[in-house]
Amino acid sequence: MDEHQRDRVVGALLGLFVGDAAGAPSEGGPPDPGRAVPEPAPGRWSYTDDTQMALALAEHLLEADGVDPERLARRFQARYEPRRGYGYGTRQVLAAWHAGTPVTEAAGALFDGGSFGNGAAMRVAPVGARFHGDPWRVRAEAERASALTHAHPVGVDGAVVQALAVAEALREHRFDPQALAGLGAQAATDRLRQSRRTASALAASAPDAPPGRVAAELGNDSSAQRSVPTALYLAATAPSFAAGVERALRVGGDTDTIAAMTGAVLGAAGGLQAIPAPWLEALEDGAHGRSWALALAHRLADRAAADPAAADHE
Ligand code: F2R
Ligand code: MG
Ligand code: MG
């Protein structure tokens, strides 16, 4: 793995962080073609559950060779800060673990068949970055990392597709409409296959569709099937990292999460250098802020570089 690929591992993680922090203030708002990225005052962009869980997952991938559900659950618990705005289902799972429910049993008790929320997809980029040389491994590890909180097949499928998109962007140094179309065969559920097909068709016919149309046709809510394809459409059609994240904010709804997923794919394609420097400077930098994320990302790149499968893709 060369220096450029290492930079793209770092870009995937920091791209997620930047997208989440830039999108957090507008989460829940309507589509708005005039919405701008917040003023990038140094240290002022706070992250939410998307980044907190992604950093916990990255930490876990450095302590274990692959996803170990018991240890990953303990990482999520150790890093949990309620003020970061976690989804209802994930909060229930964390409470059940705290009460002593076995870690692999809590998620199945939610929503009559498990959650299809986007909480597994929003945090999964470190898996795609770490195992990018081996798509089969990406799939298997993403499934294990997701099922802990999201037992519904669509919740897991959204995370698998998002992780594969990050891995592909990192390997190929781009993520375009052709790559989006190619991901279709990777979706395991009818719901994700269909919504990904709609995203692919929109990327081909209207790569610059207005935010209201993107929200109406692809979705902007916190379900996996109505947010992962939206993020991938935006990543596949964006002329730059900045434009992709700004468009994600304009789509409205679950803006922190859609921008986090768009940012992870665009960061994986373009590396850290593709992210505007003032946006990186704007990230909060407390105990587990920007410096911590950068250090983790570099260590993740070291791990990925030591993987024989990564060498096959240089
Ligand atoms: N929670 C939020 N945002 C609201 C609060 C933010 C506010 N600014 C604050 O400061 O407090 N955002 C985060 O939640 C999303 C990820 O959600 P996750 O972790 O997947 O949670 P959950 O609850 O499992 O799923 C989300 C919703 O989807 C619906 N749903 C899921 N499965 C369902 C099923 N089987 N049947 C019916 N509905 C289902 C529910 O409405 C869930 O609550 C991200 O946006 C993250 O940023
Ligand atoms: Mg969030
Ligand atoms: Mg969100």
Side-chain angles (χ1 to χ4, degrees):
M1 203 168 100
D2 63 25
E3 277 311 303
H4 299 291
Q5 264 173 313
R6 291 177 57 89
D7 183 58
R8 299 204 292 277
V9 171
V10 178
L13 202 56
L14 270 293
L16 184 160
F17 190 160
V18 164
D20 174 32
S26 50
E27 190 184 23
D32 177 359
R35 185 174 288 127
V37 168
E39 186 60 34
R44 298 298 292 274
W45 287 8
S46 299
Y47 64 79
T48 78
D49 57 330
D50 307 49
T51 300
Q52 186 155 73
M53 295 196 94
L55 296 183
L57 177 53
E59 288 174 41
H60 175 64
L61 294 175
L62 293 168
E63 74 180 353
D65 195 35
V67 172
D68 172 339
E70 186 74 37
R71 294 173 78 185
L72 178 56
R74 301 302 166 223
R75 277 278 158 191
F76 285 149
Q77 282 184 296
R79 292 286 171 249
Y80 178 48
E81 291 176 303
R83 70 185 172 97
R84 300 289 178 179
Y86 280 64
Y88 166 81
T90 299
R91 277 185 277 127
Q92 298 304 305
V93 169
L94 284 157
W97 292 342
H98 188 70
T101 303
V103 297
T104 54
E105 285 175 21
L110 285 175
F111 298 117
D112 191 21
S115 170
F116 53 62
N118 56 17
M122 73 187 185
R123 67 182 187 232
V124 81
V127 170
R130 163 67 182 87
F131 301 110
H132 68 268
D134 181 352
W136 289 107
R137 186 89 192 266
V138 170
R139 171 181 291 283
E141 302 291 355
E143 285 174 355
R144 250 197 301 280
S146 303
L148 260 184
T149 50
H150 291 71
H152 195 290
V154 170
V156 175
D157 207 16
V160 168
V161 169
Q162 169 68 13
L164 288 169
V166 167
E168 162 124 8
L170 209 153
R171 283 196 309 273
E172 302 300 329
H173 195 1
R174 66 170 182 276
F175 188 77
D176 55 19
Q178 214 178 334
L180 175 60
L183 277 178
Q186 305 295 340
T189 60
D190 285 346
R191 242 187 274 180
L192 241 293
R193 256 196 300 274
Q194 182 52 47
S195 54
R196 202 275 328 148
R197 240 195 317 267
T198 309
S200 196
L202 194 64
S205 65
D208 198 17
R213 182 174 172 196
V214 176
E217 294 189 20
L218 304 182
N220 66 358
D221 63 38
S222 61
S223 67
Q225 70 268 22
R226 300 272 298 164
S227 61
V228 174
T230 311
L232 298 184
Y233 161 82
L234 294 169
T237 55
S240 66
F241 180 94
V245 166
E246 187 173 66
R247 285 186 76 199
L249 269 51
R250 291 176 174 179
V251 164
D254 197 354
T255 48
D256 64 327
T257 301
I258 294 172
M261 296 189 292
T262 303
V265 174
L266 289 172
L272 193 62
Q273 51 163 329
I275 306 175
W279 294 13
L280 289 168
E281 283 293 307
L283 299 176
E284 68 168 278
D285 199 18
H288 296 105
R290 173 168 36 89
S291 304
W292 175 245
L294 270 169
L296 275 180
H298 281 288
R299 289 172 59 204
L300 202 64
D302 291 341
R303 278 295 181 92
D307 194 338
D312 297 342
H313 289 280
E314 280 181 31

